Amino acid sequence: MTDPIRNLPFGSTRSRITRQYALITPDTHVATPRVHWKNASAVVHISPQMGARFTQYTAELGPAAASGPPPPGVERFVFVLSGSVQLAVEGKSRTLGPGHFAFLPADMPHEMTTGEGPSSAKLAVFEKRLEPDGTAAPQVRVGDQRDVAGDVFLGDPALRLQTLLPTEPAFDLAVNLFTYDPGGHLPQVEIHVMEHGLLMLEGSGVYRLGEDWFPVQQGDVIWMAAYCPQWFVAMGKKPARYLYYKDVSRDHTTL
Ligand code: UGY
Ligand code: MN
């Protein structure tokens, strides 16, 4: 028997939650209000509750919506998936549409709003507790992914990496866009101390997570804990593209 809405056999899903990784597919989403946000809801995909050291959620804003602040000491990265928001920060107001992104440093007052009437927005959000490096604090960044060059990844022109945030020690996180031509794949199974949160934006492929391999497609979210073996090959007729988070530029020690 098939669930007519989700087009899956009843009681089944591709989602898988483990201690080392999670694959979260849209059929399992359950929305929740976000504290201090107005006329908005969120699906929290990745959080400390599952063992991660950051949070990743999709926020859906309806008309007359307004964001609330992250908790004290927490930095926020926002990528607009659809619709548009007005971002007010540092005395400026900017319209952010699909493909625009913003980094809001910890404790930086800001607000994202939609207008009255038929306006809405869908945002991919990453939040992380700032680990100060003892020098400069990271600054506000606002950009458009179309203005960010794609660098060939490790000599393979089938793989292009767009680094959305400056690679400066003040930033303790990276958020990148990774595009693979069909058949393109990570050159190695990666195992590293950094964590990832990932959203498939386009296309499809197969993701290796730990000792398992999963077909993945647009809309899927993946969490990879520190040291989770990981590998990806793009499959299908068009390129695959994902947005992903990584903690960087810190020594990962707890001395
Ligand atoms: O930046 C990275 O570690 C990236 N190559 N990992 C990944 O795409 N799973
Ligand atoms: Mn990686």
Side-chain angles (χ1 to χ4, degrees):
M1 264 201 299
T2 299
D3 176 335
I5 297 171
R6 295 179 166 79
N7 201 22
L8 283 166
F10 278 123
S12 70
T13 178
R14 291 186 297 113
S15 285
R16 177 91 63 93
I17 311 295
T18 76
R19 289 196 172 277
Q20 200 181 29
Y21 68 81
L23 167 64
I24 301 149
T25 60
D27 54 286
T28 49
H29 288 177
V30 176
T32 172
R34 207 80 198 128
V35 177
H36 304 308
W37 290 53
K38 261 188 8 203
N39 298 338
S41 68
V43 179
V44 182
H45 309 293
I46 300 173
S47 68
Q49 277 74 3
M50 75 177 12
R53 297 188 305 253
F54 68 100
T55 303
Q56 178 180 340
Y57 57 93
T58 304
E60 297 238 20
L61 285 70
S67 63
V74 172
E75 48 200 358
R76 173 180 276 169
F77 180 95
V78 177
F79 185 90
V80 181
L81 298 169
S82 63
S84 69
V85 288
Q86 208 62 35
L87 169 67
V89 62
E90 292 183 315
K92 279 190 224 145
S93 178
R94 295 178 253 225
T95 305
L96 305 185
H100 290 131
F101 59 88
F103 170 77
L104 293 319
D107 306 311
M108 171 66 66
H110 68 275
E111 191 176 51
M112 292 173 289
T113 52
T114 56
E116 303 286 339
S119 64
S120 64
K122 196 169 169 183
L123 313 174
V125 187
F126 301 95
E127 291 178 355
K128 174 187 192 296
R129 183 162 296 284
L130 170 68
E131 296 168 75
D133 77 339
T135 59
Q139 303 297 304
V140 171
R141 299 293 295 205
V142 178
D144 182 339
Q145 62 91 8
R146 284 160 285 244
D147 299 332
V148 181
D151 297 328
V152 166
F153 187 72
L154 297 179
D156 183 348
L159 276 53
R160 271 105 43 210
L161 189 69
Q162 290 164 273
T163 306
L164 303 183
L165 291 176
T167 48
E168 295 165 6
F171 286 82
D172 63 357
L173 74 170
V175 182
N176 304 331
L177 283 165
F178 212 160
T179 306
Y180 297 67
D181 289 337
H185 58 83
L186 279 177
Q188 61 184 126
V189 176
E190 296 182 2
I191 299 180
H192 50 63
V193 67
M194 299 81 79
E195 267 186 293
H196 288 313
L198 180 160
L199 170 63
M200 288 293 298
L201 294 178
E202 289 168 40
S204 54
V206 174
Y207 231 105
R208 175 184 170 151
L209 298 166
E211 302 309 315
D212 299 301
W213 283 259
F214 298 93
V216 295
Q217 63 190 30
Q218 183 182 352
D220 290 349
V221 166
I222 297 172
W223 168 58
M224 293 167 240
Y227 299 107
C228 175
Q230 57 199 257
W231 180 82
F232 179 68
V233 59
M235 300 187 74
K237 302 271 185 250
K238 54 178 193 156
R241 193 164 200 226
Y242 54 76
L243 175 73
Y244 75 100
Y245 157 96
K246 183 175 183 175
D247 50 317
V248 292
S249 295
R250 296 297 179 269
D251 285 343
H252 300 99
T253 51
T254 50
L255 299 176

